[in-house]
Amino acid sequence: MAMKQNNFLQIAIDGPVGAGKSIIANLLSKKLGIVYVYTGAMYRAVAYLGLRNNLSLENNEEKIFTLLQKAEIELTPTDQKDRVCNVLIDGEDVSDELFTPEVSWGSSVVATYPKIRQELVKRQQKIAQGQSVIMEGRDIALRVLPEAQIKIFMTADVKVRAQRRWRDLQKKGYQKTYEEVLNETIDRDYQDSHRETDPLKKVAEAWVLDTTNLTIEEVVDLICQKIKEKGLIK
Ligand code: DC
């Protein structure tokens, strides 16, 4: 799609687990020909790094921060069907390790630490310098890209979000009941929206997009329409 010249396009998508952010942002990035940044993968990589170094993730901000400072986390595009991007830690592809229940919960734990957030926000802002991006997470509109031209708060009914996650986990071979996944989703929602530093919250100007009854294609079309309406693409 033809992009307007001069300034870079920044699209921020925030929202809870299972709202559809990753799959939709990734499809949009391909359609628009801009870089996709899955910031949750960076928090997941930090949790994995801690666990791999036998650290307890709870009450351990300093040690985990020290590990992070020494580590390079890279997100690269992928053609693989089972992931939206590749995640590399110091050049090693750890993408397949990041969706275990331990890492999922751990990522929400390390995301409560202000030092970890500060460091990752800095790295995310660096990625967005000098290129158009579509970035998704929890604090993108609020903290990472406050100047983004499009700010979306993507959400869906918690039962539908848990269904989607349960199906994803089943495809990846995890044996969990739907009730377990629903409870985990509720717990992660609570932790992500009640932490002290930059909890998940809709910024005043965000466009609320409820995906409960929409297909992926419908959501992608709605966002494209919005971008066109704003004159950001031709
Ligand atoms: O998007 P995700 O569910 O894969 O993210 C994993 C965790 O990382 C999520 O529970 C909260 C945290 N996170 C965050 O605090 N801020 C972001 N910008 C992205 C993710």
Side-chain angles (χ1 to χ4, degrees):
M1 260 179 217
M3 200 90 55
K4 257 182 123 181
Q5 292 299 310
N6 304 328
N7 54 351
F8 294 108
L9 179 60
Q10 291 188 339
I11 304 174
I13 306 184
D14 294 295
V17 172
K21 303 184 300 289
S22 293
I23 192 153
I24 286 157
N26 188 33
L27 281 171
L28 272 167
S29 77
K30 288 185 179 141
K31 214 165 168 164
L32 300 169
I34 66 177
V35 172
Y36 163 58
V37 188
Y38 170 24
T39 62
M42 299 172 85
Y43 289 88
R44 286 175 182 274
V46 173
Y48 174 69
L49 201 57
L51 293 170
R52 193 167 73 173
N53 283 274
N54 297 315
L55 292 182
S56 152
L57 301 182
E58 313 275 345
N59 303 313
N60 215 353
E61 180 167 15
E62 282 306 323
K63 286 204 177 126
I64 298 168
F65 179 62
T66 305
L67 273 180
L68 170 59
Q69 277 179 308
K70 288 183 282 188
E72 189 195 9
I73 301 172
E74 222 182 320
L75 307 179
T76 62
T78 186
D79 290 328
Q80 272 183 246
K81 291 270 177 285
D82 62 342
R83 54 174 83 159
V84 288
C85 65
N86 303 313
V87 186
L88 313 182
I89 299 180
D90 295 326
E92 182 194 345
D93 190 331
V94 297
S95 318
D96 286 336
E97 318 298 330
L98 302 185
F99 294 89
T100 62
E102 293 73 27
V103 173
S104 293
W105 176 250
S107 61
S108 177
V109 173
V110 300
T112 64
Y113 298 143
K115 281 189 174 177
I116 305 279
R117 301 202 68 81
Q118 222 174 48
E119 174 65 21
L120 291 185
V121 167
K122 206 166 71 187
R123 294 187 190 192
Q124 290 153 11
Q125 288 174 332
K126 207 164 154 202
I127 298 173
Q129 256 169 29
Q131 60 182 352
S132 292
V133 291
I134 179 160
M135 203 176 270
E136 50 109 348
R138 304 294 190 287
D139 59 345
I140 311 304
L142 176 79
R143 188 68 59 205
V144 186
L145 304 176
E147 306 289 323
Q149 296 98 327
I150 305 260
K151 295 177 179 169
I152 300 168
F153 190 83
M154 195 176 283
T155 187
D157 181 88
V158 68
K159 289 191 181 131
V160 171
R161 292 191 284 112
Q163 269 291 345
R164 292 173 182 167
R165 281 204 44 77
W166 180 58
R167 254 184 263 129
D168 280 354
L169 287 170
Q170 278 195 322
K171 269 189 228 153
K172 290 191 167 123
Y174 291 105
Q175 306 293 326
K176 285 207 167 218
T177 64
Y178 164 72
E179 281 69 30
E180 282 173 313
V181 178
L182 176 63
N183 286 330
E184 280 172 13
T185 307
I186 292 169
D187 288 349
R188 203 132 70 84
D189 276 358
Y190 186 86
Q191 177 152 263
D192 291 345
S193 50
H194 286 81
R195 64 174 177 239
E196 276 184 27
T197 313
D198 295 346
L200 171 66
K201 213 171 90 196
K202 181 187 102 56
V203 296
E205 66 274 30
W207 170 36
V208 179
L209 197 43
D210 187 325
T211 67
T212 307
N213 297 310
L214 297 174
T215 64
I216 291 167
E217 291 71 28
E218 284 169 338
V219 180
V220 168
D221 286 349
L222 276 174
I223 299 174
C224 276
Q225 214 177 307
K226 180 73 114 193
I227 302 173
K228 276 187 200 148
E229 270 166 29
K230 287 202 163 209
L232 297 166
I233 51 173
K234 287 176 200 148

